[in-house]
Amino acid sequence: MNGLGVVSRLNSRPAWTCFRCLRKQVRSRSDTAHGPIRSANRVSQTKRWPARKAALVLAAGGLLGGGGYLVSDDVRHVFAAAERSGRVFWALLICVNDYRVTLNQTAENEDERASLLAKCHKRCAERTLRVLEKNGSIFIKLGQHLSSMNYLLPLEWTTTFIPLQDKCPVSSYESIEEMFVKDTSHTISDFFSEFETLPIGAASLAQVHRATLRESGQRVAVKVQHPALQEWAPLDLGLTRFTFSTLKYWFPEYDLGWLSVEMDASLPQELDFSQEGANAIRTKRYFERVHEPALVIPNVIWAQKRILVMDYITGRRPDDLEYLDSNGIDRDEVSAALSRIFNEMIFGEDAPLHCDPHGGNIAIRKHPTRRKPNFDVILYDHGLYRDIPKDLRRSYAKLWLAVIDADEPRMRKYAYEVAGVNDEQFPLFASAITGRDYRVLTKSVALPRSEQEKDDISDAFGEGMLQQLVQMLGQVPRIILLILKTNDLTRNLDENLHTGQGPMRTFLILARYCSRTVFEEQMDIIRQQGGSLMRPVNVFRLVRAWAGYMRVELKLSLYEFYLSLRRFAGVTVP
């Protein structure tokens, strides 16, 4: 396939389309579909309020000039950038005004006020959804992230954004071919004897194709970045920063600027597939060293900035309970394996932390020969990783040991060390980090979460509590936000498994890793002081740390034996 053929086909069909629509073979060229950048004459054919359109273009032009964003000489690009910016500007203007009018309305009672505000939330969420869908690119990813923030955003916003989870863009085969030529100076057929034109999966930043290597005949998965991202990512990040700074100006009590700060830091990493390949290799080597037999990370064949080629390894989602049960895979063992893997990432010495462990990035497959465990946990998407500093990791371990022991004074002490949380913020922070009602933490965090507790937490996040949470999250270190995100996602994974053993086992596994971390700290202290292990003070420290570690090990071993007896008897834990 020569370069001219690629360009001619690229100009004759959309660069990318909605994945769901592509699966149905819908090839709509309408303005509302995920399509290519619109040309100047297509813009002129759109019959929607010309006066407003002109105002949007002028306003967007001002934004572009003020932000120093350099557009290309191509007229089509200029118009598309202006329209893209104008959508954001106009929706932001309307939503800010809508909230100001609603908040200034006089209501006869609290119920009427709540109803007015809920309707305003819904209107603004639907306006924003239309902009996210039309702009695509990283706006889809932003919407997907916001849809999962039900602990922070009103229900009307999170539920409205749920459709974005299934509306990932799909780039055309021609645009992928052109990107290969541009990035590697070779066509796709130079590398692969077979390359499926329809992707087997698509996400907001990339899509995955099955292929066969030409040289070896090996089946591989080829992850390719959506080509349009390179063109629009700088502008889209600027628009995101502008949006959150504008919201902060009008509503300073709800400062969500930390979201755009985190996107600025994480998105360049996620868009560099060579870095993702390095993360995958590092994580694979780390877990080979600590001997976690269940974890499988596909081998990296080769990687460039926008192209990643890995082993083709498949499985089923961890919440596919029918698959697990029909293949004799114990849900409780899957829960335990996930708990070990992600606690190792958080508390292990020099361990890499995967910061996006949602159900789409994890797969379970039956292992044909190994008996225990009789399954593999496949981990995908290694674009977003962090390293937790040693001091923070150790304080975090002590915090969790205090939570497990229901020791409130120690909880407060280490919450301050971990996140700078004061006594007033502590109950809110403790609930955010554990996903539990603060009153439960003073009893036992291992108690099962009741529906009443879930309702109580939802009710607690009224307007005042929500404001405190937003302010607190803006103050804590960025790495804590990612740990909170990882905690929330892994907790969700565990709840979706509907295990029969309750949460006690996962908390004992957590306690094992925390007590091991404290034991390692005591050993380091003794080594740094240069004293002999036979000195009385060192012996006391060592025995105390070892005793704490062995106490947890013994409790976990006894509890797992107890669970195995109950499972053998066919009894589940309530």
Side-chain angles (χ1 to χ4, degrees):
M1 182 181 296
N2 58 45
L4 290 176
V6 169
V7 173
S8 64
R9 274 197 291 271
L10 180 62
N11 289 333
S12 66
R13 60 184 295 181
W16 57 281
T17 315
C18 168
F19 187 50
R20 184 170 57 185
C21 296
L22 186 64
R23 283 289 186 192
K24 295 179 180 179
Q25 299 300 308
V26 175
R27 294 290 188 259
S28 173
R29 298 296 298 268
S30 66
D31 289 336
T32 55
H34 289 292
I37 302 167
R38 298 175 200 171
S39 62
N41 59 338
R42 284 188 67 192
V43 171
S44 65
Q45 292 168 6
T46 307
K47 306 295 186 181
R48 290 179 300 169
W49 304 311
R52 193 191 78 170
K53 178 76 74 172
L56 292 182
V57 173
L58 289 173
L63 283 177
L64 294 175
Y69 179 76
L70 298 178
V71 297
S72 74
D73 293 332
D74 183 69
V75 174
R76 185 175 58 173
H77 178 93
V78 173
F79 272 93
E83 186 179 26
R84 193 179 191 84
S85 305
R87 289 193 196 106
V88 175
F89 181 84
W90 184 257
L92 183 60
L93 181 67
I94 295 297
C95 288
V96 167
N97 184 66
D98 198 351
Y99 272 110
R100 292 189 67 200
V101 170
T102 301
L103 293 172
N104 287 328
Q105 279 185 292
T106 302
E108 293 184 1
N109 52 57
E110 285 301 316
D111 288 342
E112 183 182 352
R113 179 176 177 81
S115 176
L116 289 171
L117 191 56
K119 291 176 181 177
C120 180
H121 288 325
K122 188 64 175 176
R123 289 193 301 270
C124 293
E126 288 175 347
R127 292 188 195 106
T128 305
L129 176 66
R130 289 193 290 269
V131 172
L132 298 181
E133 289 178 328
K134 288 181 179 179
N135 277 6
S137 185
I138 69 169
F139 288 103
I140 297 291
K141 187 173 185 65
L142 175 62
Q144 291 171 344
H145 184 46
L146 293 175
S147 71
S148 66
M149 298 177 67
N150 50 8
Y151 59 90
L152 188 60
L153 296 177
L155 186 65
E156 293 80 9
W157 280 87
T158 56
T159 55
T160 299
F161 287 173
I162 285 176
L164 292 174
Q165 299 291 348
D166 298 320
K167 276 194 174 181
C168 291
V170 170
S171 298
S172 68
Y173 177 77
E174 289 78 8
S175 67
I176 298 301
E177 175 80 60
E178 185 182 36
M179 186 179 73
F180 259 83
V181 173
K182 183 177 180 180
D183 289 9
T184 69
S185 300
H186 293 279
T187 64
I188 290 176
S189 60
D190 289 338
F191 294 105
F192 308 103
S193 57
E194 294 180 15
F195 189 95
E196 296 185 8
T197 57
L198 187 66
I200 58 174
S204 54
L205 303 182
Q207 61 193 47
V208 178
H209 295 258
R210 270 192 298 252
T212 302
L213 290 177
R214 180 168 293 281
E215 290 187 358
S216 63
Q218 180 183 355
R219 292 288 281 172
V220 293
V222 184
K223 182 176 180 179
V224 291
Q225 192 177 120
H226 295 305
L229 282 172
Q230 188 175 57
E231 180 180 15
W232 296 119
L235 173 61
D236 292 348
L237 283 174
L239 290 171
T240 303
R241 286 192 297 270
F242 173 78
T243 298
F244 285 118
S245 63
T246 301
L247 292 174
K248 179 182 178 180
Y249 176 82
W250 288 106
F251 309 106
E253 66 274 21
Y254 295 107
D255 181 11
L256 295 174
W258 50 270
L259 275 174
S260 63
V261 171
E262 181 54 39
M263 283 193 70
D264 280 340
S266 63
L267 193 66
Q269 294 184 36
E270 294 186 81
L271 292 178
D272 186 353
F273 291 178
S274 60
Q275 181 61 50
E276 178 175 348
N279 290 338
I281 292 171
R282 177 191 172 195
T283 305
K284 187 178 182 70
R285 289 174 178 170
Y286 178 86
F287 277 94
E288 286 173 350
R289 192 171 71 249
V290 300
H291 305 295
E292 175 52 61
L295 182 63
V296 172
I297 295 175
N299 288 320
V300 176
I301 310 300
W302 58 272
Q304 291 193 353
K305 189 174 180 63
R306 297 196 289 175
I307 304 168
L308 177 64
V309 182
M310 305 181 77
D311 278 345
Y312 176 63
I313 301 177
T314 62
R316 305 293 283 271
R317 285 179 60 98
D319 55 3
D320 189 342
L321 304 184
E322 183 180 350
Y323 172 79
L324 299 181
D325 296 343
S326 63
N327 284 274
I329 298 174
D330 192 327
R331 302 183 199 177
D332 298 291
E333 292 305 317
V334 173
S335 170
L338 291 172
S339 182
R340 288 193 301 269
I341 290 167
F342 288 103
N343 279 305
E344 182 65 49
M345 286 185 168
I346 292 173
F347 297 107
E349 186 76 23
D350 297 323
L353 175 63
H354 190 300
C355 296
D356 199 18
H358 60 75
N361 286 339
I362 297 172
I364 307 296
R365 70 172 181 181
K366 185 175 179 63
H367 195 284
T369 56
R370 191 176 59 226
R371 294 187 61 188
K372 191 174 180 180
N374 67 339
F375 60 88
D376 292 323
V377 177
I378 308 167
L379 188 58
Y380 304 116
D381 195 352
H382 303 271
L384 185 57
Y385 269 71
R386 289 289 191 278
D387 288 283
I388 303 177
K390 181 184 290 187
D391 291 342
L392 177 62
R393 176 162 46 82
R394 289 174 171 176
S395 294
Y396 187 64
K398 294 171 188 173
L399 171 62
W400 266 109
L401 287 175
V403 169
I404 292 169
D405 292 337
D407 188 333
E408 185 173 343
R410 282 171 53 219
M411 283 191 241
R412 291 180 179 272
K413 174 185 176 182
Y414 293 115
Y416 180 78
E417 286 189 14
V418 166
V421 172
N422 58 37
D423 285 342
E424 183 181 353
Q425 297 170 321
F426 169 73
L428 188 60
F429 178 75
S431 293
I433 207 166
T434 61
R436 304 300 302 269
D437 187 331
Y438 168 69
R439 292 167 294 186
V440 173
L441 300 183
T442 58
K443 300 174 184 176
S444 174
V445 72
L447 293 172
R449 236 181 15 155
S450 66
E451 291 301 320
Q452 182 61 47
E453 181 187 350
K454 295 177 183 178
D455 292 340
D456 289 342
I457 292 176
S458 298
D459 293 341
F461 285 110
E463 191 170 336
M465 187 69 76
L466 182 62
Q467 179 180 336
Q468 294 177 36
L469 179 61
V470 171
Q471 291 174 348
M472 184 192 71
L473 293 178
Q475 296 170 5
V476 302
R478 300 278 79 78
I479 184 65
I480 293 297
L481 293 177
L482 289 172
I483 292 174
L484 286 173
K485 177 185 175 184
T486 302
N487 280 348
D488 191 52
L489 290 171
T490 53
R491 186 162 50 240
N492 190 48
L493 285 172
D494 190 66
E495 289 186 349
N496 287 340
L497 283 167
H498 299 288
T499 62
Q501 297 178 350
M504 175 63 79
R505 187 184 187 187
T506 56
F507 278 111
L508 284 173
I509 292 172
L510 168 64
R512 167 192 280 169
Y513 284 89
C514 291
S515 59
R516 186 190 73 180
T517 301
V518 173
F519 177 74
E520 291 170 349
E521 180 185 27
Q522 292 300 322
M523 291 295 294
D524 278 353
I525 291 173
I526 293 172
R527 293 191 194 99
Q528 290 168 5
Q529 291 177 345
S532 169
L533 287 177
M534 301 309 297
R535 287 179 57 190
V537 65
N538 289 341
V539 170
F540 174 74
R541 285 175 177 166
L542 191 60
V543 169
R544 184 175 62 179
W546 180 82
Y549 178 64
M550 292 307 299
R551 176 173 62 91
V552 173
E553 282 290 316
L554 181 60
K555 285 178 65 175
L556 181 59
S557 298
L558 289 175
Y559 189 73
E560 288 185 333
F561 178 69
Y562 162 73
L563 291 176
S564 65
L565 290 178
R566 292 181 68 97
R567 187 164 57 248
F568 180 76
V571 180
T572 60
V573 178

